[in-house]
Amino acid sequence: MENKKISVLNLKKNFGRLEVLKSISIDVKEGEVVCLIGPSGSGKSTFLRCLNRLEKITAGEVIVDGHPISDANTNINKVRENIGMVFQHFNLFPHLTVRENITLAPVELKKMDKDSASRRALELLERVGLADKADVYPGQLSGGQKQRVAIARALAMNPDIMLFDEPTSALDPEMVGEVLEVMKQLASEGMTMVVVTHEMGFAREVADRVIFMDEGYIVEEGTPEEIFGNPKEERTINFLNKVL
Amino acid sequence: MAFFEVLVQYFPSFCVALWATVKLTAVSLICATVLGVIFGLFKVSGIKPLKLIANIYIDIIRGTPLMVQVMIVFYGLSQVLRPYGFAWGNIGGNFTAGAVTLSLNAGAYMAEIIRGGIEAVDKGQMEAARSLGLPYGKAMSKVILPQAFRTMLPSIINQFIISMKDTSLISIIGIRELTQNGKIIAANSASRVMAIWLVVAAFYLVVCTLLSKLALLVERRLSYGK
C-alpha cells in the first residue's frame, strides 16, 4: 500500500435538503496531483472544502494524514496547519502587508519567531517571484500577484497537502499563466495537491489523475490521457466537448 | 453680553461640571466598548444561548428610555438590594450609578454596531484564517475585528457623541454635570436663563467637536493601502 495522504470513503454532504455530494470515495497518494473538473454546481468545491472541514460532512469518512476530519476529537486546527488552501478570491488579509499576511499564522501559532518567519516569508515570496512586494498591502497588487501571495501564505505553514479552489477563475486571462507556473513548480517539487480547476490545459499537463464530477458524483477518473484522450462516459464527453 | 457675563461669572463651576461630564462619558464609553465587543461577539457566535442573552439585553435597553433606566439602576436597585447591605453611596454614589447605566445603555448599541461590522467582513476572510490553522478566537482578533473596526468606526464615533450628550439625562439623579450645573445656576439667576442655557449648550458643542476631530484623526491613521 502506497502512502495515502487523503482517504475519502462514501462522503455525503447536504445543504438542508439539497444533496450536493452523493457518496464520493477517493484516495490521494503522497506527491500526487489530482485535478477535479466538471460543470459548475457539480460539487467540486464543496468536496474540496470538506477535506479541511470548512464544510462539515453529512456522512462518510474523510481521513487526512491519518486524522479523521469529521471526528469531534480531532484537533482540526492542528490538521489544518498541514493543509494549505488557496481560494478563488484570494482572501488575502487587506489590513496586513504581504509579509504580515504570510507570517501571521506561523507567528501566532508559535511555529516560528518573528524574525525567522519574516525570513521564510521573503524566501517564499522569492519563490513566487514577488520578493519586492513584501511591504505593500494586498490592495496594491494585481490579481495574479495576489494569488501568488496567497500561495506563499499557504506554504508558510509548511503543509504536506495543498488544496486549490479554482485558483485562476477570478483572474484576468493574462494573469492565469503566472499562477499556473507557480503551481506547476510546486507539483514538480512533489507537493500533494488537489486542484479544482477549469484550466484543462493545466490539468492535462500537470495532473497525475483527473476526476470528472457531475451532480455530486464522481463520473469518471483516470490519467489525463484517459480522460482527455479517450473519455468513456457520455457526460464526460459532453462536458469536454463544451469546454475544449 | 449676557452670554459672556454668565460664562465668566460661572466659569469655575462650569469647568468642574465639564470635568464631571467628560469623566462620565469617558468611563461609560470604555465600559460600553467592552460590553459591546462581548455582546457583539455573542451575537455572531452561532451559539444559541449566548445569542439569546445578547438579544434580551439589547432589546431591553433599546426598548426603554435612558431616563427610566437610570431611575431603575439608581433608585430601584438601591431599594431592592438594601437588605443585602448594598448602597450606591459605598461605591461612588450617583456618579457610579450614572456610569453603570450609561455603560449598559451604550453597550447595547455598540453590540449592534460591532455585530454589523463583523458581519460586513467578507466570509472568505474567516475561512482563509481558519484554513491556516488559526483557532476561532485568534482569527477573530487578528483578522476579522481589525477589519470590522475600520468599517464600524463612523458608527462608533456617532454612538460616542450620542452617549456624550446622553450624560445630560443622567443629571436626573443629581450628578452635577453640565446640565445639572445649568439647572442650579438658572434657579438662582432666572433673569439670565437664555444666556445660561446657551453657555451649557456651548460646552457640549465644544466637547462634541473635539470628539469628532479626534475621530477623524483615528480614521485617517487606520486607513491602509486600497
Side-chain angles (χ1 to χ4, degrees):
Chain A
M1 193 75 197
E2 280 180 87
N3 194 356
K4 267 199 262 174
K5 273 296 189 190
I6 301 172
S7 167
V8 178
L9 195 63
N10 296 327
L11 165 61
K12 289 189 176 67
K13 171 70 189 174
N14 301 349
F15 289 113
R17 279 155 120 196
L18 184 70
E19 290 183 293
V20 180
L21 299 176
K22 305 161 186 161
S23 195
I24 304 273
S25 301
I26 67 165
D27 290 330
V28 180
K29 288 176 296 216
E30 185 164 7
E32 197 177 16
V33 177
V34 174
C35 283
L36 294 169
I37 60 171
S40 328
S42 58
K44 313 178 296 282
S45 289
T46 305
F47 169 72
L48 194 73
R49 292 159 58 84
C50 287
L51 297 181
N52 64 352
R53 213 208 270 171
L54 281 185
E55 302 291 353
K56 272 213 177 91
I57 73 176
T58 307
E61 198 172 47
V62 175
I63 296 172
V64 176
D65 256 342
H67 304 283
I69 291 289
S70 54
D71 191 328
N73 294 322
T74 301
N75 180 350
I76 191 67
N77 293 327
K78 267 275 169 272
V79 181
R80 280 173 177 160
E81 288 180 12
N82 217 17
I83 312 173
M85 187 163 198
V86 175
F87 299 86
Q88 179 176 1
H89 296 288
F90 330 126
N91 299 350
L92 292 178
F93 308 135
H95 61 302
L96 301 176
T97 63
V98 165
R99 187 201 305 261
E100 289 165 344
N101 263 274
I102 299 172
T103 58
L104 178 73
V107 172
E108 285 299 323
L109 297 171
K110 313 245 182 314
K111 287 251 157 178
M112 289 181 215
D113 62 67
K114 252 195 152 138
D115 287 338
S116 36
S118 183
R119 273 197 301 278
R120 171 92 176 121
L122 286 177
E123 273 170 39
L124 288 167
L125 284 172
E126 190 88 46
R127 239 168 104 181
V128 299
L130 292 169
D132 54 328
K133 300 290 186 192
D135 295 309
V136 307
Y137 285 93
Q140 293 158 265
L141 300 176
S142 72
Q145 291 172 330
K146 279 183 191 161
Q147 197 59 298
R148 285 186 280 155
V149 171
I151 294 173
R153 177 178 69 179
L155 291 173
M157 294 297 290
N158 291 320
D160 288 350
I161 301 167
M162 287 283 282
L163 309 177
F164 292 85
D165 189 3
E166 303 196 24
T168 57
S169 297
L171 296 177
D172 290 336
E174 74 269 24
M175 291 171 184
V176 170
E178 62 192 68
V179 171
L180 294 182
E181 211 42 59
V182 171
M183 291 169 62
K184 271 183 216 166
Q185 190 195 330
L186 260 182
S188 70
E189 289 164 9
M191 178 66 78
T192 308
M193 293 164 60
V194 182
V195 184
V196 172
T197 188
H198 293 294
E199 295 294 330
M200 297 305 148
F202 176 83
R204 192 191 292 245
E205 185 182 346
V206 182
D208 296 308
R209 187 147 49 108
V210 176
I211 295 177
F212 173 70
M213 280 182 69
D214 193 18
E215 292 176 354
Y217 292 103
I218 292 178
V219 176
E220 189 167 359
E221 62 179 304
T223 63
E225 294 75 32
E226 285 165 355
I227 297 291
F228 293 110
N230 187 21
K232 303 211 164 40
E233 298 289 329
E234 176 96 24
R235 278 190 284 179
T236 318
I237 296 167
N238 282 338
F239 174 74
L240 290 174
N241 278 340
K242 274 183 217 150
V243 296
L244 288 178
Chain B
M1 253 177 84
F3 179 86
F4 292 105
E5 278 172 34
V6 169
L7 184 62
V8 172
Q9 188 181 343
Y10 296 103
F11 194 68
S13 88
F14 271 116
C15 282
V16 175
L18 173 66
W19 177 233
T21 294
V22 169
K23 224 168 35 169
L24 194 57
T25 309
V27 172
S28 306
L29 287 181
I30 292 167
C31 298
T33 307
V34 175
L35 285 175
V37 171
I38 293 171
F39 285 97
L41 288 174
F42 278 12
K43 281 210 79 166
V44 298
S45 68
I47 302 168
K48 283 226 170 85
L50 296 184
K51 267 172 115 165
L52 187 70
I53 291 169
N55 282 334
I56 291 172
Y57 164 55
I58 292 167
D59 286 349
I60 288 176
I61 295 292
R62 284 210 298 201
T64 55
L66 177 59
M67 218 188 272
V68 174
Q69 291 165 10
V70 74
M71 295 297 198
I72 290 171
V73 169
F74 187 56
Y75 297 112
L77 280 188
S78 55
Q79 183 198 36
V80 173
L81 297 178
R82 197 174 300 135
Y84 308 99
F86 174 85
W88 284 111
N90 299 336
I91 52 167
N94 51 7
F95 180 87
T96 309
V100 167
T101 312
L102 209 54
S103 302
L104 287 171
N105 181 277
Y109 293 99
M110 291 283 281
E112 278 296 310
I113 293 171
I114 286 163
R115 177 197 58 80
I118 291 171
E119 283 176 355
V121 175
D122 182 63
K123 236 176 73 228
Q125 292 289 308
M126 181 55 101
E127 291 185 346
R130 297 305 306 275
S131 78
L132 289 165
L134 292 172
Y136 180 84
K138 271 206 162 53
M140 192 50 97
S141 66
K142 298 286 171 181
V143 175
I144 307 300
L145 283 178
Q147 293 182 61
F149 185 67
R150 217 174 78 114
T151 48
M152 294 179 314
L153 200 63
S155 313
I156 291 178
I157 299 308
N158 196 34
Q159 183 58 44
F160 278 15
I161 287 170
I162 290 170
S163 290
M164 200 285 281
K165 292 186 293 184
D166 277 352
T167 57
S168 116
L169 292 172
I170 302 292
S171 68
I172 192 90
I173 58 169
I175 301 171
R176 188 154 183 179
E177 40 64 74
L178 287 172
T179 303
Q180 182 70 4
N181 197 49
K183 269 192 243 172
I184 290 167
I185 293 170
N188 295 325
S189 183
S191 61
R192 291 188 294 183
V193 73
M194 182 62 168
I196 290 166
W197 287 111
L198 285 178
V199 169
V200 172
F203 271 97
Y204 280 112
L205 192 60
V206 168
V207 178
C208 262
T209 312
L210 289 179
L211 207 56
S212 313
K213 285 270 182 292
L214 186 75
L216 216 66
L217 219 70
V218 177
E219 215 162 333
R220 248 183 243 141
R221 279 288 297 279
L222 278 180
S223 60
Y224 38 81
K226 258 260 150 221

